[in-house]
Amino acid sequence: MSEDINKLERIASQVRRDIVRMVHACQSGHPGGSLGCADFFVALYFSAMERKAGFDIDGIGEDIFFLSNGHISPVFYSTLARAGYFDVSELATFRKINSRLQGHPTTHEGLPGVRVASGSLGQGLSVAIGAARAKKLNGDDHLVYALMGDGEQQEGQIWEAAMYAPYNKIDNLIATIDYNGQQIDGATENVLSLGNLKAKWEAFGWDVLAMNGNAMQEVVAGLAEAKSRTGKGKPILILMKTEMGYGVDFMMGSHKWHGVAPNDEQLAAALSQLEETLGDY
Amino acid sequence: MKKYTYTDKKDTRSGFGAGLLEVGRKNDNVVALCADLVGSLKMNDFIKEFPDRFFQVGIAEANMMGIAAGLTIGGKIPYTGTFANFSTGRVYDQIRQSIAYSGKNVKICASHAGLTLGEDGATHQILEDIGLMKMLPGMTVINPCDYNQTKAATIAIADHDGPVYLRFGRPVVPIFTDADQKFEIGKAWMVNEGSDVSIFATGHLVWEAIQAGEQLAELGINAEIINIHTIKPLDEEAILKSVTKTGCVVTAEEHNRLGGLGDSVAQVLVKNRPTPQEYVAVDDSFGESGTPAQLMDKYGLNAANIVAAAQRVIKRK
Ligand SMILES: Cc1ncc(C[n+]2csc(CCOP(=O)(O)OP(=O)(O)O)c2C)c(N)n1
Ligand SMILES: [Mg+2]
């Protein structure tokens, strides 16, 4: 187990390097949420999910994932590339003209690994519910995963989806909230408090668990626990505590790095804190 | 060709921020709302001076539109601020029912419109917003061309009783209109008088049209350039007067060719004076990530495209 955890941590370190290098290269994009969710993405794609080789948009006979908070595309793209969906060299095209790696994930350019466009917040959970229903209709007992932001919880559509899934016993769905307490204009607490998220999701009928999203061991264990609770009549919600900017000391502790690119010096400082484990793209 | 120069460049959204502060000082009923994009909308100065007249609603645009509608009941003049996509498509029915159909005096202020939002890509680059908003009965639709004009428009719309869609953007562009201009809703602005072709441009494309006018002058073509900052109500008189003189039209806009300024102009022409027209607009597609300049180039929205369109349409006379 600990050997596996170490392997995942090494992948996460490389993913974090990719994130800051991608955002630096185009001088735009969202490093904060991406860094905070790197451990989750790596645990999901390299441990939790049952995936087939190659990419087929219908994802029949495999677990599939939806990113609702599409602005953290850097961590999604890096993970997809490191997991073999496309060549890591393509990460260099992020946010540049004629790229498949659009600012926010899209199916429009046919990037393997992406199943729906996101970026306009609040929409991904509904799509994940639809895909989970399709799995049930197809007699496919694989799971659907979704990730949302915590600021994103302010969107009304999230709560329409929250109400729908338990009533309809969508129990092949594991949704996670990146609970970093930050959004663009400041701390969620100061912008529009989320209140007691655990109590809210429970009141809507979800099976809610909590985990620390920045400790690989706990993320792996948390996802395994969530998986074990599927198929019991309730959708699963993981409240995942993370730190925005995790892994780069000066990007942590505030909302400042939500959507700002590092300059040359900041890039060097960031990379000095992140071990190159799999080779930079 | 009348000479236009500039000494400074700024983003039109900063013109909105400056205008909001000024109109806030002038009119106590002006209030502002934002959905977690205070910095992007340049609302900080207003918030600092009028903290009690600002409402942060979080990432909840539909709720923001409803609250804005409610604030008008009691005489407030709410200015909502978010990106153009989230100001229109995201909340279309809320605007339609609670604001437009209900005749509420809400000023929907939309930044990062069009392709020039750049790297964020198509999810954020709405190219359909002018069409969406102009189709709503009673909605005024304004797309100013530079910092000064955006500031003036932001101030002027407080005195107009009724819903307004004010569209502006993110890139830093030349400031070539007067700082102390009076903004008249629905009154087109003559940029350059000419006789060979009418170029009707809106928003960021007005500066491109001026560049095109200079290039056309070198080719011996005398272009009339009009800034259609108000797409609805459209200045039909100015349009018809111009085409009577020139006999052909180029429309230029940072928008889908379906449903934008070009279609509004075409409707006036087809009814009153059928005239050859060429569109400089996005050809029914989504945008993508890239720098603003790369995107304006790739999607055919720069001065060279206006020059080519003018040459084409003159041949069709
Ligand atoms: C519908 C919609 N409104 C506004 C935005 C602009 N926006 C992008 S990210 C963001 C903040 C999201 O906060 P959170 O979900 O907590 O993500 P984090 O900042 O933690 O990465 C906002 C307001 C958007 N993308 N979509
Ligand atoms: Mg957050």
Side-chain angles (χ1 to χ4, degrees), chain A residues 124-177:
Chain A
L125 185 59
S126 303
V127 178
I129 290 171
R133 283 225 97 134
K135 283 217 178 294
K136 284 181 182 272
L137 288 169
N138 289 334
D140 178 351
D141 61 2
H142 284 81
L143 298 175
V144 176
Y145 291 89
L147 180 67
M148 305 173 269
D150 56 356
E152 189 182 11
Q153 301 299 301
Q154 293 157 356
E155 285 289 359
Q157 187 181 344
I158 297 276
W159 301 97
E160 298 174 24
M163 191 177 296
Y164 181 93
Y167 174 68
N168 288 283
K169 301 192 168 47
I170 310 293
D171 58 2
N172 54 344
L173 172 65
I174 300 175
T176 299
I177 296 174

Side-chain angles (χ1 to χ4, degrees), chain A residues 30 32-34 69 71-72 104 119-123 148-153 155 178 180-185 188 244 255 258, chain B residues 35-37 59-61 82-83 86 90 124:
Chain A
H30 301 79
S34 295
N69 44 336
H71 60 278
I72 66 167
H104 296 77
S120 182
L121 293 166
Q123 304 186 23
M148 305 173 269
D150 56 356
E152 189 182 11
Q153 301 299 301
E155 285 289 359
D178 174 23
N180 62 9
Q182 308 290 346
Q183 58 189 105
I184 291 185
D185 283 348
T188 51
M244 185 176 271
H255 65 283
H258 158 91
Chain B
D36 195 25
L37 286 168
I59 313 169
E61 295 80 9
T82 181
F83 291 165
F86 314 136
R90 179 77 185 193
H124 289 51

